């Protein structure tokens, strides 16, 4: 039995045996090929059917001697030959193949060594080499035999592009990452910044203010991340060109009126949109920058050049006068209002200093300034930028912080607020730069982050971890790389799985590495049996219907729903490997409800929406559940989507996507994205969005939400849509070639295509047809529908479950009229429908149904008219 981690660069095990026997195999193959060629020659060497006088050997003769049906150029020596397979005339008359070659499709092929024609024409070696006319166990560069079945499908995995096996059979790329050249990288604009494989590429670098464009790039004050770059908020600008204080300058001020550096000269003030204009009572009469003249000056009385002559030598700001009128004060020959005049405020000669104006006869600081140092004329302290007087005199910013727009904020070089001061980092966790192969430590009292690479003798494998090896090419002396360590080749009958040689007849590795039969099953002949197994009742929560549920990667999460006593706010985890239940914590849990949505982030379960079972009302609240601490925390409601029951709830890798659902018995449109780190909601774009409909079929591809069909009122449609949460954009699917209009259909994302099957037509009858959408080609195609399942529709949260096994789509349950189906079928995109699956023991209507990736778990719900406390697990 070949090993799990076959090297793309070495010949091991069976390959060495083939190499050792090579001289013998070659001799036999050459003799066999020679005999075959001699026999073919003897059988074919007969006179021309025309009766003699034929053309010379190897030449094309007249088509008349071969008959009118002989293809052009195929009449050789008076005989009509098959140019695609004749070794004497391969592709053309007289083009004979060499000894030990065969004519394959009109070209001579070395069947002893050609991996495309190994031993015979079109007998391809699946990504392996051809030795002596037989496919070897030596993988081509970049491919590996990850399922241990070299005979059937060869080296079936492309390690350079398969995100499930990127660079090695056991190296899976985290959520949001793609495999590029055998290395896991985040698909732009996603970033991996917390060094936790389970959360994957958890940051959207195009919009995250703390990781804008790259991990750790924090946008400064008055900035936000737009398209992966820190952009100034409206009304602010980065005038000092320093990332330390972000966009520190407020526009519309005397210092920066319309733009950075657009300073208003002396005597003028900024008044957008006009720009810098003279302050009240002042004039610009000399053409130089600034407003130097006063309207109360007899030399510029109300206007430039308006000089007051005798006998009216005084000026009141509007006209010349013989004396100042009542209410004005005579200062020289100026008639001034000492309540507002900046040069004579309260009394003659009392002039306003920098950033001061006269208000009610008192010198007052301009907005944003204060006189924090009485010994300095005017109002010298800019409260919007002075870290000693930030927002008010005497309010000093903590060390490492800057004053921006009148508020203290951590500087770009010290972005972390550690309480007493701002630092580069407060803890080691703040130092993560997205490389899972480095140890990140906060040093120098928070003044710096230190990053240490993999230790001596270790390699960085993908984005995940430091290991002894990434592939077998990293090992010596013919050892294999398995589970990140080099091990000796396994004995006959064993394969390498995660650093150990195991039998593929074991329940933990049944038929393939890591194929764990889990509790209740045994392994025989490389398959786990039986298909259906029951779940323990011990420790299980009370039987219920319409509960929220999701798979966390290792356990089933069940919460809420309606028991025989009413709506509840409790739940449990179920571990299929041990067949054990454990209760959830209830402290801080959301209020009791049914039909809430649930999704797993990698570290938390997010539960949102739903409503009471007593009516059709809906809720717009939810909670985060931390399984490590068994505690709940309420989700923010600001900006949350409208209340709804049974919403689509999907974890995108960085956000919880909520879309659709119903409230008051009416379908709800739109949705929102929830960021659990910031506890904030962002509305989903409505531009080109799918309309509100009941019975919409949906599937998540790992990057896109696909929607198909549904009904408005009683009228179904065959319209489809995709939503990309990274770009917040919608796109309509083509209707040409799409399945007939329907609602309540099954939908399965099959790795690279969308399967739509079943549903109900405009008469409400169940259907047994469907189609497949190819997003690369942008077209719909038919399905191989022979042996299809019986007619059925899938009703959201009631009956009908689906999943993708990695090679086949699974459809189970559903309804045809009043009949609830309990059986199912598998659909292979290449060969069509498989044999019918055995039926579940109970109906589980409105129960929990979750596909784990290997098993379908169905639990509780209604069996007939009674709540069932039982559950079952199905393994196809």
């Amino acid at each position: 039995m070949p090993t799990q981690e076959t090297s793309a660069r070495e010949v091991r095990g069976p390959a060495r045996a083939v190499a050792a026997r090579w001289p013998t195999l070659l001799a036999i193959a050459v003799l066999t090929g020679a005999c075959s060629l001699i026999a073919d020659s003897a059988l074919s060497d007969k006179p021309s059917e025309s009766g003699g006088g034929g053309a010379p050997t190897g030449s094309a003769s007249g088509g008349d001697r071969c008959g009118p049906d002989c293809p052009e150029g195929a009449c050789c020596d008076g005989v009509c030959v098959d140019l695609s397979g004749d070794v004497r005339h391969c592709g053309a008359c007289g083009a004979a193949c060499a000894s030990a070659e065969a004519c394959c499709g009109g070209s001579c092929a070395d069947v002893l060594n050609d991996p495309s024609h190994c031993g015979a024409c079109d007998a391809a070696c699946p990504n392996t080499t051809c030795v002596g006319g037989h496919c070897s166990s030596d993988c081509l560069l970049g491919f590996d035999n990850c399922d241990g079945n070299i005979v059937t499908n060869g080296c079936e995995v492309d390690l350079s592009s398969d995100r499930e096996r990127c660079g090695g059979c056991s190296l899976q790329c985290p959520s949001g990452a793609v495999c590029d050249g055998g290395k896991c990288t985040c698909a732009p604009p996603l970033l991996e910044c917390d060094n936790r494989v389970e959360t994957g590429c958890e940051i959207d670098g195009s919009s995250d203010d703390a990781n804008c464009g790259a991990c750790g790039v924090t946008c400064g004050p008055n900035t936000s991340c737009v398209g992966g770059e820190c952009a100034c908020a409206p009304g602010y600008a980065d005038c000092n060109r320093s990332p330390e204080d972000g966009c520190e300058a407020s526009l519309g001020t005397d210092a920066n009126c319309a733009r950075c550096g657009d300073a208003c000269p002396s005597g003028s003030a900024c008044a957008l949109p006009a720009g810098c204009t003279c302050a009240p009572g002042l004039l610009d009469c000399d053409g130089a920058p600034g407003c130097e003249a006063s309207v109360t000056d007899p030399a510029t009385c109300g206007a430039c050049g308006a000089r007051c002559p005798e006998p009216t030598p005084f000026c009141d700001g509007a006209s010349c006068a013989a004396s100042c009128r009542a209410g004005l004060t005579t200062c020289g020959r100026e008639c001034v209002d000492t309540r507002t005049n900046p040069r004579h405020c309260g009394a003659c000669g009392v002039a306003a200093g920098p950033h001061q104006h006269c208000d009610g006869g008192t010198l007052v600081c301009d907005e944003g300034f204060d006189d924090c140092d009485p010994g300095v004329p005017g109002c010298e302290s800019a409260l919007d930028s002075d870290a000693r007087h930030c927002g008010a005199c005497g309010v000093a910013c903590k060390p490492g912080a800057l004053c921006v727009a009148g508020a203290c904020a951590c500087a770009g070089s010290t972005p972390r607020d550690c309480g007493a001061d701002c630092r580069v980092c407060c803890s080691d966790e703040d130092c993560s730069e997205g490389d899972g192969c480095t140890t990140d430590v906060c040093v120098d009292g928070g003044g710096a982050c230190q990053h240490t690479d993999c230790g001596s003798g270790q390699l960085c494998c993908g984005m995940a971890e430091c290991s002894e090896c990434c592939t077998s090419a990293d090992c010596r002396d013919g050892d294999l790389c398995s589970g990140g360590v080099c091990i000796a080749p396994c004995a006959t009958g064993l394969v390498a799985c995660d650093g150990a040689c195991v039998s593929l007849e074991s329940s933990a590795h049944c038929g393939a590495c890591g194929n764990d039969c889990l509790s209740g099953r045994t392994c025989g002949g490389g398959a786990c049996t039986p298909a259906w197994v029951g779940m323990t009742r011990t420790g299980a929560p009370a039987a219920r219907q319409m509960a929220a549920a999701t798979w966390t990667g290792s356990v089933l999460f069940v919460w809420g729903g309606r028991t025989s006593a009413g709506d509840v706010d409790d739940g449990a985890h179920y571990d299929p490997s041990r067949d054990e239940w454990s209760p959830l914590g209830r402290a801080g849990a959301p209020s009791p409800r049914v039909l809430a949505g649930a999704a797993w982030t990698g570290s938390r379960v997010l539960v949102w929406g739903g409503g009471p079972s007593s009516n059709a009302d809906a809720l717009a609240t939810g909670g985060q559940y931390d399984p490590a601490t068994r505690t709940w925390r309420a989700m923010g409601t600001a900006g949350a989507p409208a209340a709804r029951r049974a919403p689509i709830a999907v974890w995108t890798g960085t956000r919880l996507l909520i879309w659709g659902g119903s409230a008051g018995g009416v379908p709800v449109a739109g949705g929102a994205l929830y960021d659990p780190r910031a506890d904030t909601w962002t509305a989903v774009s409505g531009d080109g969005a799918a309309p509100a409909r009941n019975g919409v079929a949906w599937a998540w591809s790992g990057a896109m939400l696909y929607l198909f069909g549904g009904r408005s009122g009683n009228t179904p449609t065959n319209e489809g849509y995709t939503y990309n949460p990274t770009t917040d954009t919608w796109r309509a699917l083509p209707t040409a070639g799409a399945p007939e209009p329907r609602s309540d259909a099954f939908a399965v994302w099959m790795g690279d295509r969308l399967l739509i099957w079943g549903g109900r037509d405009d008469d409400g009858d169940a259907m047994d047809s469907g189609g497949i959408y190819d997003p690369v080609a942008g077209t719909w195609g038919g399905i191989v529908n022979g042996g299809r399942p019986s007619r059925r529709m899938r009703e959201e949260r009631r009956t009908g479950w689906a999943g993708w096994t990695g090679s086949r789509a699974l459809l189970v349950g559903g309804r045809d009229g009043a009949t609830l189906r309990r059986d199912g079928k598998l659909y292979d995109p290449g060969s069509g429908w498989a044999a019918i699956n055995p039926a579940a023991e109970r109906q589980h209507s409105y129960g929990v149904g979750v596909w784990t990736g290997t098993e379908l778990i169905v639990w509780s719900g209604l069996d007939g008219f009674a709540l069932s406390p039982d559950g079952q697990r199905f393994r196809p």
Side-chain angles (χ1 to χ4, degrees):
M1 182 68 71
T3 57
Q4 167 74 2
E5 295 274 353
T6 306
S7 170
R9 300 178 177 87
E10 303 175 73
V11 180
R12 308 186 298 275
R16 291 199 182 101
V18 172
R21 299 195 301 271
W22 166 245
T24 303
L25 291 172
L26 180 60
I28 294 173
V30 171
L31 288 174
T32 302
C35 289
S36 176
L37 293 174
I38 291 172
D40 289 344
S41 175
L43 291 173
S44 302
D45 190 15
K46 58 182 183 287
S48 167
E49 294 179 1
S50 64
T57 301
S59 65
S61 60
D64 292 338
R65 286 184 241 176
C66 295
D69 294 332
C70 186
E72 183 179 355
C75 187
C76 304
D77 299 332
V79 177
C80 188
V81 300
D82 179 7
L83 298 179
S84 66
D86 193 316
V87 294
R88 296 175 307 146
H89 310 286
C90 190
C93 291
C97 295
S99 175
E101 287 187 335
C103 183
C104 300
S107 299
C108 294
D110 180 1
V111 293
L112 296 180
N113 300 290
D114 189 338
S116 299
H117 309 283
C118 191
C121 289
D122 299 322
C125 295
N127 302 316
T128 64
T129 59
C130 179
V131 179
H134 297 277
C135 296
S136 75
S137 59
D138 183 25
C139 295
L140 297 180
L141 182 65
F143 293 86
D144 216 333
N145 172 31
C146 293
D147 64 2
N149 192 352
I150 196 74
V151 176
T152 303
N153 57 3
C155 301
E156 79 286 357
V157 175
D158 183 351
L159 300 178
S160 67
S161 60
D162 192 326
R163 65 177 306 275
E164 300 296 323
R165 303 169 184 86
C166 187
C169 289
S170 60
L171 300 177
Q172 180 182 23
C173 292
S175 172
V178 296
C179 185
D180 184 7
K183 294 184 178 180
C184 295
T185 58
C186 287
L190 300 181
L191 303 170
E192 199 285 295
C193 297
D194 62 1
N195 283 356
R196 297 172 60 186
V197 175
E198 66 269 21
T199 59
C201 301
E202 80 286 356
I203 298 298
D204 183 351
S206 67
S207 59
D208 193 296
D209 291 345
N211 302 277
C212 189
C215 293
V217 177
T218 304
C219 290
N222 301 321
T223 65
S224 58
C225 187
V226 179
E229 295 184 357
C230 295
C232 292
Y236 294 91
D238 181 15
C239 293
N240 60 6
R241 302 297 181 185
S242 171
E244 288 289 289
D245 50 6
C247 296
E248 82 294 341
S250 297
L251 299 180
T253 64
D254 292 351
N256 303 282
C257 188
R259 66 192 67 85
C260 289
D262 183 20
C264 294
S266 175
S268 64
C270 183
L272 294 178
C276 295
T277 59
C278 288
L282 296 180
L283 299 169
D284 179 14
C285 295
D286 62 0
C291 301
E292 78 292 341
S294 172
V295 294
T296 59
D297 189 328
T300 54
C301 187
C304 294
R307 181 178 295 276
C308 292
E310 296 291 348
T312 55
F314 294 92
C315 178
D316 62 7
S319 60
C320 297
S323 62
C324 294
R325 71 176 184 268
L328 299 181
T329 300
T330 303
C331 295
R333 288 193 174 185
E334 295 183 63
C335 301
V336 300
D337 184 348
T338 56
R339 296 172 299 173
T340 59
N341 194 291
R343 297 196 297 174
H344 308 282
C345 185
C348 294
V350 180
H355 308 299
Q356 278 184 325
H357 63 276
C358 186
D359 185 1
T362 302
L363 292 175
V364 178
C365 293
D366 293 342
E367 184 178 0
F369 291 87
D370 208 338
D371 184 12
C372 298
D373 184 355
V376 177
C379 299
E380 76 293 338
S381 298
L383 301 182
D384 62 347
S385 60
D386 192 334
R388 300 170 302 166
H389 309 285
C390 190
C393 291
V395 178
C397 295
K398 66 181 66 176
L402 299 172
C403 182
V404 180
C408 294
C410 291
S413 60
T414 53
R416 305 291 180 179
D417 188 346
C418 300
D421 54 8
C422 294
R423 306 176 188 170
V424 172
C425 53
C426 304
S427 64
D428 294 347
E429 186 176 348
D430 295 331
C431 290
S432 173
E433 86 289 35
D435 186 349
C437 294
T438 62
T439 301
D440 309 310
V441 181
C442 182
V443 297
D444 296 337
C449 285
Q450 184 179 81
H451 307 286
T452 305
D453 294 327
C454 294
S456 177
Q458 289 193 316
L459 301 173
C460 176
C461 299
M463 299 173 62
E465 58 189 359
C466 296
S467 300
E468 180 182 339
C469 58
C470 302
T471 68
S472 295
D474 302 322
C475 300
R476 298 179 178 179
D477 303 324
D479 285 351
L480 312 174
C481 184
S482 177
V485 297
C486 294
I487 63 173
C490 296
T492 302
L494 301 179
V495 298
C497 292
D498 292 330
C501 293
V502 302
S503 169
L504 295 186
E505 290 296 318
S506 65
S507 61
H509 306 281
C510 187
C513 285
N515 186 32
D516 192 343
C517 291
L518 303 176
S519 64
R521 295 191 185 89
T522 58
C523 182
C528 298
T529 57
W532 285 98
V533 294
M535 297 163 59
T536 182
R537 291 185 180 182
T538 303
R544 63 195 63 201
Q545 59 179 312
M546 297 180 284
T550 189
W551 178 248
T552 71
S554 59
V555 297
L556 169 69
F557 171 94
V558 177
W559 180 85
R562 178 176 175 80
T563 69
S564 58
D567 298 352
V568 294
D569 63 353
D570 64 357
H573 279 147
Y574 173 74
D575 184 347
S577 66
R578 296 183 174 86
D579 192 28
E580 290 180 354
W581 288 94
S582 58
L584 302 179
R586 295 179 66 181
S591 59
R593 64 191 67 192
V594 299
L595 297 176
W600 171 246
T601 71
S603 60
R604 304 279 194 279
V605 175
L606 305 179
V607 174
W608 191 86
S613 62
S614 58
N615 55 53
D617 293 344
L619 298 169
T621 58
Q624 298 188 37
Y625 181 73
D626 184 347
T629 61
R630 299 182 67 244
T631 58
W632 289 89
R633 180 166 66 88
M635 295 167 63
T637 57
R644 62 197 69 198
R645 301 159 69 94
I648 295 172
V650 170
W651 179 247
T652 70
T654 61
R655 304 287 191 273
L656 170 69
L657 169 61
I658 293 292
W659 192 88
S662 66
V666 178
V668 179
L673 294 162
Y674 175 74
D675 181 352
R677 292 163 60 97
D679 190 30
T680 56
W681 289 93
T682 303
V684 165
S685 171
D687 187 14
R693 289 198 177 104
N694 285 316
V696 175
W698 67 276
W700 173 249
S701 72
M704 308 272 281
L705 176 66
Y706 283 81
L707 305 169
F708 179 81
R711 63 188 181 277
S712 178
N714 294 321
T715 304
T717 181
N718 65 347
E719 294 175 348
Y721 298 85
T722 63
Y723 174 68
N724 185 332
T726 301
T727 59
D728 190 29
T729 54
W730 288 89
R731 181 171 61 85
L733 301 183
T735 55
E740 305 104 309
R742 66 193 64 202
S743 61
D744 300 304
F746 288 83
V748 181
W749 179 253
M750 302 191 298
D752 58 357
R753 286 169 290 171
L754 175 69
L755 170 68
I756 297 294
W757 193 86
R760 74 166 88 184
D761 60 20
D762 56 358
D763 292 326
D765 296 330
M767 306 176 73
D768 61 355
S769 62
I772 295 176
Y773 177 70
D774 183 344
V776 176
T779 57
W780 287 94
I783 66 175
V784 182
N785 219 15
R788 59 189 179 273
S790 59
R791 298 174 182 272
R792 65 191 68 196
M793 66 185 76
R794 174 187 177 271
E795 290 186 301
E796 185 78 20
R797 305 295 290 274
R798 180 184 180 186
T799 182
W801 304 283
W804 175 245
T805 69
S807 60
R808 296 179 295 178
L810 172 68
L811 307 181
V812 177
R815 183 168 71 87
D816 181 6
T819 303
L820 290 174
R821 302 291 185 185
R822 293 183 288 120
D823 60 359
K825 275 206 170 188
L826 289 163
Y827 181 80
D828 187 316
S831 59
W833 295 102
I836 194 167
N837 295 322
E841 291 183 2
R842 311 214 181 278
Q843 292 178 346
H844 300 289
S845 178
Y846 294 111
V848 167
V850 173
W851 174 249
T852 71
T854 57
E855 284 189 325
L856 173 67
I857 301 179
V858 289
W859 178 78
S860 197
L862 296 170
D863 186 23
F865 296 99
L867 283 173
S868 171
D870 297 319
Q872 294 176 273
R873 301 179 0 242
F874 175 69
R875 191 182 193 96

